[in-house]
Every structure is written in structure tokens, then in C-alpha cells.
Amino acid sequence: MNNSILEKYSNKKKRSKLLPFIKDIKLLLEHDATQASILEYLKEEQNVTVSQPVLSTFIKRHIKKDPMSKRTQATINKAQKKETPPAKETSKKKEDSIFL
């Protein structure tokens, strides 16, 4: 089939231009590289220029995927708060009260 015809019907969803470099970014992050140094690597070695917020969002979405959703984590936090015993209330002695 003709590629131009297939491209006409293909998914036009915008893909991140950082996807081809995901392995490089993961490796740099494993070696404690900063986002600034990753941006510098991408610019100098791969000729890809993106902003820091774009890189940060890419890392959050594609690399640091948290297995628990925010809702699940909130539910766990609520359950942990309920399990902790309430603090003992200390009543003031009548002698310490200023209204006697």
C-alpha cells in the first residue's frame, strides 16, 4: 500500500518528541542527573530543545509512574489517621482556672 494513503488515516495524536530518548533520560535520572543537565544533554547530543517544564511533565508521565493513584493514596492516609489513637485530653485543675 501507499504510505501517503495510510498516513492520511493514521492516528494524528501528538506524541512527545522526548519519547525516542526515554532510555537515555531514565539512565541519566538513575545516575542522579539534574533536569538542567538532562536538558543540556538533549540539546548538545541529540539536537532536541525543550523547556524544563516539558521535561518535568514528561518524567512524571512516562518515567516516575506511581503505582498508586492519588485517590488510593488519600484513602490510605485517611485509614492511617483513624488508626492512631486520639491524644489524651488533659483537664485543668480547678485551682489553675482563672474563673474560680
mmCIF file of all heavy atoms in Angstrom, residues 4 16-18 21 23 27 29 38 40 52 60 69 71 76 87 96 100:
data_model
loop_
_atom_site.group_PDB
_atom_site.id
_atom_site.type_symbol
_atom_site.label_atom_id
_atom_site.label_comp_id
_atom_site.label_asym_id
_atom_site.label_seq_id
_atom_site.Cartn_x
_atom_site.Cartn_y
_atom_site.Cartn_z
ATOM 1 N N SER A 4 1.516 7.273 1.866
ATOM 2 C CA SER A 4 0.813 8.548 1.984
ATOM 3 C C SER A 4 -0.680 8.336 2.242
ATOM 4 O O SER A 4 -1.311 9.114 2.956
ATOM 5 C CB SER A 4 1.027 9.403 0.741
ATOM 6 O OG SER A 4 0.502 8.755 -0.399
ATOM 7 N N SER A 16 5.093 13.062 22.244
ATOM 8 C CA SER A 16 6.208 13.840 22.784
ATOM 9 C C SER A 16 7.456 13.578 21.955
ATOM 10 O O SER A 16 7.747 12.443 21.579
ATOM 11 C CB SER A 16 6.458 13.429 24.231
ATOM 12 O OG SER A 16 7.626 14.038 24.707
ATOM 13 N N LYS A 17 8.208 14.627 21.710
ATOM 14 C CA LYS A 17 9.441 14.431 20.964
ATOM 15 C C LYS A 17 10.541 13.868 21.851
ATOM 16 O O LYS A 17 11.638 13.578 21.390
ATOM 17 C CB LYS A 17 9.889 15.703 20.256
ATOM 18 C CG LYS A 17 10.126 16.907 21.089
ATOM 19 C CD LYS A 17 10.568 18.054 20.176
ATOM 20 C CE LYS A 17 10.487 19.389 20.845
ATOM 21 N NZ LYS A 17 10.963 20.455 19.956
ATOM 22 N N LEU A 18 10.234 13.664 23.138
ATOM 23 C CA LEU A 18 11.201 13.063 24.049
ATOM 24 C C LEU A 18 11.081 11.537 24.108
ATOM 25 O O LEU A 18 11.963 10.876 24.646
ATOM 26 C CB LEU A 18 11.037 13.648 25.454
ATOM 27 C CG LEU A 18 11.333 15.129 25.596
ATOM 28 C CD1 LEU A 18 11.030 15.593 27.011
ATOM 29 C CD2 LEU A 18 12.765 15.435 25.231
ATOM 30 N N PHE A 21 13.968 9.257 23.320
ATOM 31 C CA PHE A 21 15.116 9.373 24.215
ATOM 32 C C PHE A 21 14.790 8.932 25.644
ATOM 33 O O PHE A 21 15.522 9.255 26.570
ATOM 34 C CB PHE A 21 15.619 10.821 24.218
ATOM 35 C CG PHE A 21 15.809 11.378 22.838
ATOM 36 C CD1 PHE A 21 14.920 12.300 22.328
ATOM 37 C CD2 PHE A 21 16.839 10.936 22.031
ATOM 38 C CE1 PHE A 21 15.070 12.801 21.056
ATOM 39 C CE2 PHE A 21 17.001 11.423 20.752
ATOM 40 C CZ PHE A 21 16.112 12.363 20.251
ATOM 41 N N LYS A 23 15.006 6.072 27.177
ATOM 42 C CA LYS A 23 16.033 5.246 27.822
ATOM 43 C C LYS A 23 17.198 6.105 28.299
ATOM 44 O O LYS A 23 17.719 5.890 29.399
ATOM 45 C CB LYS A 23 16.530 4.169 26.856
ATOM 46 C CG LYS A 23 15.522 3.087 26.595
ATOM 47 C CD LYS A 23 16.075 2.043 25.660
ATOM 48 C CE LYS A 23 15.006 0.992 25.369
ATOM 49 N NZ LYS A 23 15.513 -0.020 24.417
ATOM 50 N N LEU A 27 18.306 6.593 32.226
ATOM 51 C CA LEU A 27 19.675 6.309 32.658
ATOM 52 C C LEU A 27 20.289 7.516 33.364
ATOM 53 O O LEU A 27 20.922 7.377 34.415
ATOM 54 C CB LEU A 27 20.535 5.918 31.460
ATOM 55 C CG LEU A 27 21.973 5.528 31.773
ATOM 56 C CD1 LEU A 27 22.007 4.252 32.603
ATOM 57 C CD2 LEU A 27 22.751 5.342 30.498
ATOM 58 N N LEU A 29 18.662 9.881 34.939
ATOM 59 C CA LEU A 29 17.998 10.044 36.235
ATOM 60 C C LEU A 29 18.494 9.028 37.251
ATOM 61 O O LEU A 29 18.618 9.336 38.436
ATOM 62 C CB LEU A 29 16.478 9.935 36.074
ATOM 63 C CG LEU A 29 15.803 11.122 35.397
ATOM 64 C CD1 LEU A 29 14.348 10.805 35.103
ATOM 65 C CD2 LEU A 29 15.916 12.364 36.258
ATOM 66 N N ILE A 38 20.067 17.162 32.016
ATOM 67 C CA ILE A 38 19.359 16.371 31.001
ATOM 68 C C ILE A 38 19.005 17.253 29.811
ATOM 69 O O ILE A 38 19.169 16.851 28.655
ATOM 70 C CB ILE A 38 18.109 15.697 31.600
ATOM 71 C CG1 ILE A 38 18.520 14.661 32.646
ATOM 72 C CG2 ILE A 38 17.253 15.059 30.511
ATOM 73 C CD1 ILE A 38 17.371 14.087 33.449
ATOM 74 N N GLU A 40 20.569 19.905 28.890
ATOM 75 C CA GLU A 40 21.832 20.201 28.204
ATOM 76 C C GLU A 40 22.250 19.029 27.317
ATOM 77 O O GLU A 40 22.667 19.216 26.174
ATOM 78 C CB GLU A 40 22.913 20.494 29.242
ATOM 79 C CG GLU A 40 24.223 20.912 28.660
ATOM 80 C CD GLU A 40 25.247 21.244 29.742
ATOM 81 O OE1 GLU A 40 24.847 21.533 30.884
ATOM 82 O OE2 GLU A 40 26.446 21.196 29.418
ATOM 83 N N GLN A 52 12.190 23.241 30.488
ATOM 84 C CA GLN A 52 12.271 22.461 31.724
ATOM 85 C C GLN A 52 10.897 21.946 32.166
ATOM 86 O O GLN A 52 10.791 20.793 32.576
ATOM 87 C CB GLN A 52 12.948 23.292 32.822
ATOM 88 C CG GLN A 52 13.299 22.514 34.073
ATOM 89 C CD GLN A 52 12.143 22.423 35.052
ATOM 90 O OE1 GLN A 52 11.325 23.326 35.118
ATOM 91 N NE2 GLN A 52 12.078 21.351 35.790
ATOM 92 N N LYS A 60 7.304 12.884 34.863
ATOM 93 C CA LYS A 60 6.185 12.481 35.716
ATOM 94 C C LYS A 60 5.261 11.505 35.009
ATOM 95 O O LYS A 60 4.771 10.548 35.607
ATOM 96 C CB LYS A 60 5.389 13.704 36.156
ATOM 97 C CG LYS A 60 6.087 14.542 37.192
ATOM 98 C CD LYS A 60 5.279 15.766 37.526
ATOM 99 C CE LYS A 60 6.037 16.706 38.434
ATOM 100 N NZ LYS A 60 5.320 17.960 38.658
ATOM 101 N N SER A 69 -2.726 5.551 42.683
ATOM 102 C CA SER A 69 -3.306 6.811 42.253
ATOM 103 C C SER A 69 -3.417 7.752 43.449
ATOM 104 O O SER A 69 -3.286 7.337 44.598
ATOM 105 C CB SER A 69 -4.688 6.578 41.640
ATOM 106 O OG SER A 69 -5.586 6.152 42.639
ATOM 107 N N ARG A 71 -6.083 9.114 44.554
ATOM 108 C CA ARG A 71 -7.264 8.736 45.329
ATOM 109 C C ARG A 71 -6.937 7.577 46.273
ATOM 110 O O ARG A 71 -7.318 7.575 47.436
ATOM 111 C CB ARG A 71 -8.404 8.360 44.394
ATOM 112 C CG ARG A 71 -9.664 7.959 45.145
ATOM 113 C CD ARG A 71 -10.802 7.708 44.209
ATOM 114 N NE ARG A 71 -11.309 9.007 43.786
ATOM 115 C CZ ARG A 71 -12.201 9.184 42.836
ATOM 116 N NH1 ARG A 71 -12.665 8.167 42.179
ATOM 117 N NH2 ARG A 71 -12.621 10.386 42.528
ATOM 118 N N ILE A 76 -5.619 5.624 51.867
ATOM 119 C CA ILE A 76 -4.671 5.021 52.807
ATOM 120 C C ILE A 76 -4.325 6.007 53.911
ATOM 121 O O ILE A 76 -4.282 5.641 55.092
ATOM 122 C CB ILE A 76 -3.403 4.554 52.067
ATOM 123 C CG1 ILE A 76 -3.736 3.370 51.174
ATOM 124 C CG2 ILE A 76 -2.288 4.198 53.043
ATOM 125 C CD1 ILE A 76 -2.624 2.965 50.244
ATOM 126 N N ALA A 87 -5.245 11.776 71.020
ATOM 127 C CA ALA A 87 -4.422 12.277 72.113
ATOM 128 C C ALA A 87 -5.286 12.434 73.361
ATOM 129 O O ALA A 87 -6.457 12.811 73.290
ATOM 130 C CB ALA A 87 -3.801 13.609 71.728
ATOM 131 N N ASP A 96 -6.156 25.814 88.867
ATOM 132 C CA ASP A 96 -5.478 26.541 87.812
ATOM 133 C C ASP A 96 -6.426 27.436 87.034
ATOM 134 O O ASP A 96 -5.983 28.285 86.271
ATOM 135 C CB ASP A 96 -4.812 25.563 86.844
ATOM 136 C CG ASP A 96 -3.698 24.780 87.519
ATOM 137 O OD1 ASP A 96 -3.199 25.234 88.558
ATOM 138 O OD2 ASP A 96 -3.314 23.720 86.981
ATOM 139 N N LEU A 100 -12.352 30.905 89.120
ATOM 140 C CA LEU A 100 -12.820 30.495 90.439
ATOM 141 C C LEU A 100 -12.913 31.643 91.397
ATOM 142 O O LEU A 100 -12.307 32.556 91.530
ATOM 143 C CB LEU A 100 -11.925 29.426 91.016
ATOM 144 C CG LEU A 100 -12.139 28.053 90.423
ATOM 145 C CD1 LEU A 100 -11.144 27.079 91.047
ATOM 146 C CD2 LEU A 100 -13.545 27.568 90.625
#
